[in-house]
Amino acid sequence: MTATPTAPAVRPAAATVPGARTTAVVTGLGIAAPNGLGTEDYWRATLAGESGLGRVTRFDPSQYPSTVGGEVPGYVAEEHIPSRLMPQTDHMTRLALTAADWAVADAGIVPGDLPEYGMGVVTAASGGAVEFGQRELQNLWSQGKEYVSAYQSFAWFYAVNTGQISIRHKMRGPSGVLLTEQAGGVDSIGHARRHVRKGVPMVVTGGVDAALCPWGWVPQIASGLMSTVSDPSRAYLPFSAEASGYVPGEGGAILIVEDAESARERGAEHVYGTVAGYAAGLDPAPGSGRPPALRRAAENALADAGLTPSDVDVVFADAAGTPELDRAEAKALEELFGARGVPVTAPKSMTGRLLAGGAALDAATALLALRDGVIPPTAGVAEADPGHRIDLVTGAREADLRTALVLARGHGGFNAALVLRRAH
Amino acid sequence: MSTTTTKTEVTLADLTRMLRESAGEEEGVDLDGDVRDTPFIDLGYDSLALLQVIGQIQREYGIAIPDDAVVDAETPGALLDLVNSGQASPA
């Protein structure tokens, strides 16, 4: 298990990259989100515009300026996680293991289908299992070192989801973890495709995160980007004139990315779509006067897919939810597509921003949209701020969708773009 | 440190209870059976699980158990012998 802490440079795949002609397809999804546990629960709620945001209950938020979060409902860990894994896993890892189980089952992969070294695991992470870590630090301070769990040695670690998924499913192929804050969900899928192009038949990827504890809360408040609105229905309104910051949530999505040929050979039950293009980029240093890298990442991802902006049928926006960041994204979209040139949506308005899980959930949501020919709404927003010249989808909209662009930005200058195409 | 209650003898039932609490129970393993001489590894417990349960024994019984116990005690019986033999010293 190796960490990959470096930021990927903008680097569209060249035609000379070995395996660049290999098609990477998504054959399985597993979703745990604040507005739905399980893919179909989530998708139904998302199309109906049902938000999962509320006042935080996992800890008492009353002493903090921000009190609204997105909590995964109805998750009983004991129903999903074996007894031996309970003492050694954080809530975040349990959700990740559960989503991974569902994704593997959805893909119809049974043990023995693929060689152990032909299956890799690449997930995104942010701060690791901070709730577990906070509890053990409190044990240390209040009771002494004899009271600290031996499992703290790895349970907090930001690579722990990758590790536990790998162990549970005996997947010994190339594995890793990417830390690019909210861009990680897209970066992990891009990295999974890289492994597939190098000859790995299947990679479990995406991200599931959870940091709804004081230790996970305080650093996000310090970023100044979190909403302090206490009404859950008004706290996170990306692209609206009332945008006041973001709301954090827990959960995410795990995706099975496979070599299309290999998936066909093993008789994969369904193909959600292809990972057609990917690119990433780092913002220039503040004050440099150069533009942010989001637009360039999107252009490079489209070039990587061999497509142009006119091929894109829907954009799943990063939707940071602060006026300044929304303006920057809307500007990039207008430059790419023209004013109101493409439908733009932000279903994360119903889940909050899920740290390393958010962009992975957006990718999964985009694949469901391609499957069903319907764009999920940006909930709670009646209309975009007229200053943002974008076609914001505020109610579920049916459309013939063939190509989706997923945009993601991570605090600290990370940008990533993913192009997904319908299978047929 | 907190106050400790020193008990004289740790039984197999005490140990299996603490194994369940500290490290969970492997599917397909019956901890209530005669597991005294079954290697921990066959019961589904690795060295970290042993470290965790030894920590619990130390806290509950107020004794100090040498670090080597994790490697030396390969079965519940061996661990109980070590804990009850007096080699484990009062904390």
Side-chain angles (χ1 to χ4, degrees):
Chain A
M1 198 157 57
T2 55
T4 311
T6 51
V10 173
R11 194 180 54 188
T16 52
V17 172
R21 288 191 184 151
T22 306
T23 301
V25 294
V26 179
T27 56
L29 299 176
I31 291 173
N35 63 340
L37 182 59
T39 298
E40 297 310 324
D41 267 5
Y42 162 76
W43 184 228
R44 184 204 57 74
T46 297
L47 288 179
E50 292 172 14
S51 173
L53 303 185
R55 183 179 168 88
V56 168
T57 65
R58 292 177 60 80
F59 66 96
D60 177 6
S62 55
Q63 64 178 302
Y64 303 105
S66 300
T67 56
V68 178
E71 301 178 349
V72 172
Y75 181 74
V76 180
E78 289 78 4
E79 294 175 0
H80 304 281
I81 303 298
S83 161
R84 277 286 283 118
L85 289 181
M86 288 297 289
Q88 55 180 284
T89 46
D90 183 58
H91 181 59
M92 169 193 87
T93 302
R94 293 171 186 170
L95 289 175
L97 281 167
T98 303
D101 283 356
W102 288 339
V104 168
D106 186 36
I109 294 168
V110 292
D113 265 4
L114 296 165
E116 290 184 1
Y117 288 91
M119 300 183 285
V121 185
V122 177
T123 66
S126 59
V130 288
E131 190 177 7
F132 193 109
Q134 174 173 343
R135 187 181 66 228
E136 299 308 324
L137 278 174
Q138 284 173 321
N139 287 341
L140 177 67
W141 296 330
S142 62
Q143 299 186 85
K145 63 182 167 59
E146 297 83 359
Y147 289 80
V148 176
S149 168
Y151 294 117
Q152 168 70 2
S153 55
F154 65 78
W156 73 272
F157 188 39
Y158 46 77
V160 70
N161 290 356
T162 284
Q164 290 283 20
I165 292 167
S166 163
I167 293 166
R168 182 162 167 77
H169 294 281
K170 295 187 171 58
M171 296 169 171
R172 299 167 187 268
S175 295
V177 57
L178 285 131
L179 288 85
T180 54
E181 217 261 328
Q182 310 262 358
V186 159
D187 285 323
S188 67
I189 297 167
H191 197 57
R193 186 185 66 159
R194 195 173 293 139
H195 283 313
V196 167
R197 284 179 165 181
K198 286 178 181 169
V200 181
M202 189 276 278
V203 179
V204 175
T205 189
V208 174
D209 213 340
L212 296 181
C213 66
W215 196 19
W217 206 246
V218 171
Q220 294 188 77
I221 292 171
S223 75
L225 302 173
M226 253 169 93
S227 174
T228 56
V229 173
S230 59
D231 176 355
S233 69
R234 311 309 300 162
Y236 179 37
L237 300 173
F239 297 114
S240 86
E242 296 172 70
S244 61
Y246 76 92
V247 163
E250 63 181 11
I254 297 293
L255 300 86
I256 306 296
V257 171
E258 282 191 83
D259 176 292
E261 201 68 32
S262 168
R264 199 175 306 122
E265 280 169 16
R266 73 165 181 85
E269 291 167 30
H270 44 226
V271 172
Y272 288 96
T274 63
V275 182
Y278 161 74
L282 262 185
D283 284 337
S288 73
R290 289 183 286 135
L294 184 65
R295 175 185 163 188
R296 199 165 35 121
E299 286 170 341
N300 287 338
L302 285 167
D304 180 36
L307 300 172
T308 65
S310 63
D311 293 311
V312 175
D313 300 308
V314 59
V315 175
F316 286 75
D318 173 61
T322 69
E324 188 185 349
L325 286 166
D326 284 353
R327 197 176 305 121
E329 185 169 28
K331 183 167 181 283
L333 290 169
E334 185 178 347
E335 288 168 358
L336 274 167
F337 299 100
R340 299 177 185 86
V342 68
V344 176
T345 191
K348 62 180 56 141
S349 50
M350 292 171 263
T351 64
R353 287 171 71 79
L354 309 184
L355 302 173
L361 181 60
D362 274 343
T365 308
L367 289 163
L368 293 168
L370 293 173
R371 181 191 72 179
D372 293 349
V374 55
I375 301 171
T378 307
V381 180
E383 60 173 0
D385 182 325
H388 305 318
R389 300 204 292 169
I390 57 171
D391 171 16
L392 190 70
V393 177
T394 57
R397 186 191 296 180
E398 291 189 10
D400 182 28
L401 305 176
R402 291 175 57 193
T403 305
L405 174 66
V406 179
L407 299 179
R409 288 176 293 186
H411 189 52
F414 299 104
N415 297 267
L418 189 71
V419 178
L420 297 166
R421 303 207 85 191
R422 195 173 71 194
H424 308 293
Chain B
M1 280 301 302
S2 56
T3 55
T4 53
T5 51
T6 306
K7 296 178 190 170
T8 49
E9 177 99 0
V10 182
T11 67
L12 183 62
D14 293 328
L15 179 58
T16 52
R17 171 182 58 79
M18 289 187 283
L19 280 166
R20 283 194 178 101
E21 289 172 5
S22 279
E25 188 171 8
E26 185 78 20
E27 282 167 43
V29 167
D30 178 17
L31 281 184
D32 296 324
D34 184 12
V35 297
R36 178 173 289 271
D37 298 318
T38 309
F40 281 116
I41 202 78
D42 293 343
L43 296 172
Y45 297 115
D46 54 17
S47 59
L48 212 51
L50 277 188
L51 202 60
Q52 185 79 338
V53 78
I54 286 171
Q56 187 176 355
I57 297 170
Q58 294 185 117
R59 293 192 299 271
E60 284 198 16
Y61 292 84
I63 54 175
I65 300 171
D67 290 344
D68 292 347
V70 173
V71 252
D72 292 344
E74 294 180 358
T75 64
L79 181 58
L80 289 172
D81 287 346
L82 192 148
V83 168
N84 293 324
S85 68
Q87 286 182 52
S89 54

